[in-house]
Amino acid sequence: QVHMVESGGGLVQAGGSLRLSCAVSGLSFSRYTMAWFHQAPGKEREFVGGISRSGGSTYYADSVKGRFTISRDNAKNTVYLQMNSLKPEDTAVYYCAADASVSITPHRHDYDVWGQGTQVTVSS
């Protein structure tokens, strides 16, 4: 059974930082492209960024470029999202997702497995 558990969310002031983690079990982690999405109340789930199987390639939404960094540790079956210079508009539930295909895709329907989400709230 596959488990993906996000952690690290919380309340932070604008300009602050958080580091999210997603621990994965039950699948061959290094064979999956990983991504982070977020979903604000009343809005659709949106792509934040993704990382290739090896970690050698990353791809970010324009709204987070230069502020967020995705990394992974295949030995620990964990993917990370470092969020800096946080803004109130970053407030959302953040989800990690796994895709068995080779390329990084921003389309949520391409992802096979999802975590339960972790809340990030940025106060102004």
Side-chain angles (χ1 to χ4, degrees):
Q1 189 172 3
V2 179
H3 292 282
M4 295 174 59
V5 181
E6 299 96 335
S7 61
L11 173 65
V12 63
Q13 288 188 332
S17 298
L18 282 175
R19 188 194 195 205
L20 306 184
S21 299
C22 174
V24 180
S25 61
L27 57 74
S28 297
F29 181 73
S30 63
R31 300 175 72 173
Y32 281 76
T33 297
M34 299 298 298
W36 289 92
F37 287 75
H38 67 194
Q39 187 167 18
K43 295 188 176 182
E44 292 189 352
R45 193 169 297 187
E46 297 178 337
F47 178 78
V48 173
I51 188 166
S52 63
R53 296 172 172 179
S54 67
S57 297
T58 54
Y59 173 49
Y60 298 96
D62 288 343
S63 60
V64 306
K65 278 181 184 175
R67 299 190 298 125
F68 291 9
T69 302
I70 296 175
S71 61
R72 65 190 295 163
D73 185 336
N74 285 350
K76 295 182 177 180
N77 287 6
T78 302
V79 61
Y80 305 97
L81 180 64
Q82 177 67 45
M83 304 186 294
N84 298 329
S85 303
L86 282 161
K87 304 176 181 179
E89 51 264 43
D90 295 319
T91 294
V93 177
Y94 282 72
Y95 299 88
C96 62
D99 177 15
S101 62
V102 174
S103 59
I104 303 169
T105 170
H107 306 296
R108 67 183 188 272
H109 298 295
D110 290 332
Y111 288 83
D112 308 302
V113 188
W114 293 85
Q116 85 290 346
T118 185
Q119 176 70 46
V120 171
T121 303
V122 184
S123 63
S124 57

